[in-house]
Amino acid sequence: MAIIGIDLGTTNSLAACWKDGRLELIPGEDGEVLFPSAVGYVEREGFLVGAAAKKRLLTHPMDTVASFKCFMGTAKEYRLGDRMYTPMELSAMVLERLKRNAEHVLQEEIEEAIVTVPAYFNDKQRSDTKKAAQVAGLKVERLINEPSAAALAYRMAMGEEDRALIIFDFGGGTLDLSYVECFDNVIEIVAVAGDNHLGGDDIDSAIQSYFCRENALVEETLPPEELAAIRNLAEQSKCALSASGQADMELTVAGKVCRAQLTEDILFELCMPLFGKMKKLFLHLLEDADSRVSQIDDLVMVGGSSRLGVVRRFLSELLGKEPVVLDETDRVVALGAGIYAGIRRRGEEIRDMLLTDVCPFTLGIGIRNRSGQDKNVLSPMIERNSTLPASVKNRFVTTSDYQREILVKIYQGEEYYVDDNVHLGEVAIEVALKPAGQAWVDVQFTYDINGILHVTVENEMGERRQILLANQALSAEELERYTKEMEKIMLPPIEQPQNREMLARFLEYFENSTGERRERLGAMIGYITRGLCSGRKKAVRNAQENARAWLSMLEEARETKEERLFDGKDFESWEDEDWEEADGWESEEENQDGKDIGLDSKGEGDDNDQ
Ligand code: ADP
Ligand code: MG
């Protein structure tokens, strides 16, 4: 049984696999590895998928659809022939073609695929992608995020040192920015930012309008076929420009020969409004990642539109350094998916390669509005961009005297009022009969990498209610398996036995010390605790590594009675790097106030909505 990796793109899809120890892209019937994500319908003949459909888009724009990935997970439908089709069904057709083609090329049956999705895809979009694969006859155990796949491919090409990266994925319809940290065998997406309506298509539109302006054509009055032809010319000229630095445009429109010249400078001007949007996205991303340009090791350009010289020029001006451009930017994500498929096939190595995702939206519960308004507001439990798996526990108190019950309502979204967010479910539990504000419940949210949310509510009598929210119906066994797995995640790093034991040893040293030594130990304990509670894999690892190193020095000092840890040079030399980083965490913690895993947060007077 073979496993393939698939980049199911908005504009183009690709498949990759490991064959005879080598990573390969799988070419289609026409020898091309890029498979346009387009579907057309021909009366009495049936469906066209891929390049044939893309070509037909020119002559029959009404019977051909493309870019349907932009509407994945929504209610939008497309008419083809006498039936309406969802983006899920259209994606299934593309996947089915890729599967069939791979079987033909590899001469092997393909049962399973690793499919990539944008990091910001929500539950519905992810489950629709899985469904599409199912319809195409592919088993998808796990979706991986496009930037994680790109980071895998980057590591394979550039080496596996620790790195902080921004993956700049500029495709046909979208721009996705991801802040990714790579260390050991961990690829952690720290933050994502993006624009669903900013891509190569927008550049084509800008060139199209420029061409019309230059030739006094009024876009709105042109028939769809003529417009499609101009658009096609615009895209071709754009691609020619990135190959040769200049492009002459010429086309007969309504019997008249129209011309325009496209140069790098003209295109740079045309792209100005897009660059403005890009800059804003960078700022947003760095803010969310709590980072600065100077802390990034590389900016990795991915996606077909990253081939444009003007985009590279803009980025090197913006960042003050040259971006890394991997060969054939539009294949990088598929190559990463192929690498992951290889890892999966070999089975045993999968445990070594940890791809951590982020939660692309905030998950929380409804609480009483403090301003006294009727509308309940969202109290975030797991914030957008938290690293998964994540587990957060908070305490909430009653708002009425002697109320019998608390109803915990669970929501997903970024809006202030709960009604504007997506309601996911609810759990009711009895509470101790006490005056308002005195009875409480502990609410714990645990969210895993498969998009399954486990909510546990416990009252002060120790009674527990729980609910498992998944984007697909789960069988009884699956439910049990997930619940077991969740229990492991529910133990945040600070509560894990080996870390608790380590901290306990520091506390012992602390108790037995005085003066400056005691102060130093206090600072160490603070540093380790913050790291373990940070919710970021890298910070947890640094805390553990430093704690181990310090402990062994403390022990050595105790044995030799040399107190060099506190007087000598060794400590000074750590100080520069490690304590600086510790300060960084401090500010992060201030920003995130209380959302950290395992913090003993009391919900600070938050009132539950009952
Ligand atoms: P997606 O991830 O959205 O499926 P791709 O990464 O395949 O898309 O990128 C498709 C986009 O890349 C299209 O807008 C296409 O015009 C553009 N593109 C492809 N080749 C080039 C090139 N040589 N120069 C400029 N743009 C290109
Ligand atoms: Mg893509």
Side-chain angles (χ1 to χ4, degrees):
M1 181 195 80
I3 306 176
I4 54 172
I6 295 178
D7 168 9
L8 182 62
T10 311
T11 321
N12 296 301
S13 297
L14 300 86
C17 70
W18 276 91
K19 197 168 178 244
D20 308 324
R22 276 187 43 213
L23 182 60
E24 276 179 26
L25 291 165
I26 304 171
E29 283 165 6
D30 53 2
E32 299 286 335
V33 293
L34 283 190
F35 187 85
S37 309
V39 177
Y41 183 78
V42 188
E43 199 70 43
R44 280 187 292 278
E45 282 179 35
F47 290 102
L48 290 174
V49 188
K54 186 180 174 185
K55 229 180 255 151
R56 209 177 138 80
L57 198 55
L58 276 182
T59 51
H60 297 76
M62 307 310 280
D63 315 318
T64 322
V65 294
S67 299
F68 35 84
K69 180 177 167 184
C70 294
F71 295 95
M72 194 72 131
T74 68
K76 185 173 166 78
E77 290 189 319
Y78 297 83
R79 174 169 293 282
L80 284 178
D82 51 12
R83 220 196 100 180
M84 302 299 285
Y85 291 85
T86 62
M88 187 278 285
E89 290 172 304
L90 297 166
S91 303
M93 290 188 213
V94 172
L95 288 170
E96 195 269 336
R97 233 17 114 75
L98 290 171
K99 170 182 190 269
R100 218 170 347 130
N101 181 53
E103 286 177 339
H104 177 73
V105 172
L106 301 172
Q107 291 293 308
E108 227 182 317
E109 203 183 322
I110 314 281
E111 281 184 4
E112 189 180 333
I114 305 293
V115 180
T116 60
V117 289
Y120 59 80
F121 253 26
N122 64 25
D123 276 5
K124 180 86 174 73
Q125 292 166 311
R126 283 168 197 262
S127 80
D128 274 8
T129 306
K130 278 191 177 175
K131 266 188 222 155
Q134 225 169 28
V135 173
L138 287 165
K139 192 172 88 188
V140 175
E141 283 269 305
R142 207 181 144 193
L143 301 168
I144 69 170
N145 287 321
E146 288 163 11
S148 309
L152 267 176
Y154 164 91
R155 300 198 97 192
M156 181 119 157
M158 311 294 287
E160 308 213 328
E161 290 149 57
D162 286 9
R163 278 272 181 277
L165 308 173
I166 289 185
I167 308 280
F168 176 91
D169 186 349
F170 194 22
T174 54
L175 171 64
D176 301 324
L177 298 183
S178 318
Y179 193 100
V180 180
E181 281 178 350
C182 305
F183 57 98
D184 300 339
N185 269 332
V186 177
I187 291 177
E188 177 170 14
I189 303 183
V190 177
V192 293
D195 190 329
N196 279 356
H197 302 284
L198 176 60
D201 292 348
D202 298 278
I203 298 179
D204 299 347
S205 302
I207 299 174
Q208 173 184 320
S209 303
Y210 162 73
F211 183 82
C212 291
R213 270 200 310 277
E214 290 290 291
N215 292 284
L217 299 168
V218 183
E219 277 177 82
E220 294 73 28
T221 60
L222 291 170
E225 291 78 12
E226 301 266 30
L227 262 183
I230 298 176
R231 194 175 185 79
N232 190 41
L233 175 70
E235 191 192 353
Q236 280 174 1
S237 313
K238 173 185 76 175
C239 296
L241 190 67
S242 48
S244 67
Q246 197 181 320
D248 293 313
M249 305 176 72
E250 187 182 312
L251 187 75
T252 307
V253 184
K256 180 184 138 206
V257 181
C258 300
R259 291 195 181 86
Q261 202 193 38
L262 192 65
T263 62
E264 292 274 341
D265 286 338
I266 293 173
L267 188 60
F268 198 86
E269 272 306 306
L270 292 176
C271 288
M272 272 319 209
L274 308 183
F275 292 156
K277 288 187 186 171
M278 278 183 198
K279 189 174 171 185
K280 280 205 189 116
L281 288 176
F282 268 97
L283 292 176
H284 186 66
L285 180 79
L286 289 170
E287 216 170 87
D288 269 6
D290 196 15
S291 184
R292 286 184 293 275
V293 171
S294 60
Q295 292 177 347
I296 307 163
D297 294 304
D298 276 327
L299 174 95
V300 184
M301 296 185 71
V302 175
S305 301
S306 282
R307 292 182 185 229
L308 280 169
V310 290
V311 177
R312 295 185 198 179
R313 187 171 121 196
F314 164 72
L315 289 176
S316 45
E317 280 173 20
L318 179 73
L319 304 173
K321 64 177 166 194
E322 287 304 310
V324 172
V325 186
L326 299 175
D327 280 352
E328 316 212 58
T329 50
D330 42 9
R331 295 154 201 219
V332 176
V333 170
L335 289 172
I339 295 170
Y340 196 71
I343 295 172
R344 245 193 102 73
R345 197 173 189 180
R346 291 196 301 278
E348 79 279 6
E349 280 165 69
I350 195 162
R351 264 165 264 126
D352 295 339
M353 182 61 75
L354 218 77
L355 298 166
T356 59
D357 296 351
V358 294
C359 179
F361 32 72
T362 300
L363 293 163
I365 69 170
I367 59 166
R368 180 73 60 81
N369 190 341
R370 267 187 236 169
S371 65
Q373 264 180 298
D374 270 351
K375 289 161 112 180
N376 285 337
V377 298
L378 186 78
S379 173
M381 294 287 294
I382 294 178
E383 300 229 30
R384 169 175 54 117
N385 279 332
S386 303
T387 303
L388 301 183
S391 189
V392 174
K393 198 193 240 176
N394 279 321
R395 183 162 291 182
F396 296 90
V397 295
T398 50
T399 52
S400 311
D401 288 339
Y402 305 103
Q403 78 182 69
R404 292 180 171 276
E405 199 184 62
I406 276 185
L407 181 66
V408 178
K409 291 190 179 174
I410 304 148
Y411 295 88
Q412 162 185 320
E414 311 307 321
E415 304 298 329
Y416 181 66
Y417 294 111
V418 288
D419 290 345
D420 300 330
N421 293 294
V422 183
H423 179 233
L424 298 177
E426 49 199 51
V427 191
I429 191 166
E430 279 185 10
V431 287
L433 279 181
K434 287 185 180 174
Q438 290 188 20
W440 53 260
V441 291
D442 279 335
V443 178
Q444 182 159 19
F445 271 42
T446 306
Y447 195 66
D448 83 343
I449 47 179
N450 297 305
I452 294 175
L453 174 66
H454 186 207
V455 178
T456 317
V457 184
E458 193 171 336
N459 64 18
E460 48 195 298
M461 291 82 85
E463 289 162 349
R464 249 183 170 208
R465 300 275 177 281
Q466 44 188 327
I467 179 172
L468 207 59
L469 298 162
N471 50 29
Q472 69 263 46
L474 296 174
S475 67
E477 299 108 69
E478 279 175 321
L479 227 121
E480 201 186 315
R481 179 160 62 90
Y482 278 122
T483 314
K484 279 218 182 83
E485 277 171 21
M486 290 288 181
E487 265 154 25
K488 279 186 242 151
I489 306 170
M490 281 165 74
L491 218 51
I494 188 98
E495 286 177 20
Q496 284 163 12
Q498 76 275 22
N499 294 333
R500 274 169 61 163
E501 194 201 321
M502 202 151 63
L503 264 176
R505 284 166 69 194
F506 274 98
L507 290 173
E508 196 188 314
Y509 276 110
F510 181 82
E511 281 168 26
N512 297 327
S513 325
T514 50
E516 195 188 333
R517 184 186 169 121
R518 197 178 163 99
E519 260 170 48
R520 286 290 195 196
L521 277 160
M524 284 178 184
I525 294 167
Y527 169 88
I528 299 162
T529 314
R530 276 195 298 279
L532 293 177
C533 293
S534 68
R536 275 168 75 166
K537 296 259 176 314
K538 190 164 184 185
V540 171
R541 183 196 67 164
N542 284 351
Q544 287 170 326
E545 278 179 1
N546 280 322
R548 267 195 291 275
W550 290 334
L551 267 183
S552 68
M553 296 214 64
L554 283 163
E555 249 129 63
E556 199 184 314
R558 180 154 70 181
E559 275 168 23
T560 59
K561 297 250 186 281
E562 266 178 37
E563 302 265 305
R564 72 189 165 98
L565 178 60
F566 295 98
D567 314 320
K569 267 218 149 69
D570 292 67
F571 192 69
E572 294 297 314
S573 65
W574 297 339
E575 252 180 342
D576 294 346
E577 311 154 23
D578 300 321
W579 296 95
E580 225 172 71
E581 222 172 327
D583 286 338
W585 290 350
E586 210 148 30
S587 62
E588 183 181 89
E589 197 181 48
E590 274 162 26
N591 290 340
Q592 298 178 353
D593 192 27
K595 81 161 203 197
D596 295 307
I597 291 177
L599 277 189
D600 197 12
S601 167
K602 294 266 182 340
E604 281 163 296
D606 281 346
D607 301 332
N608 197 274
D609 65 345
Q610 281 271 310

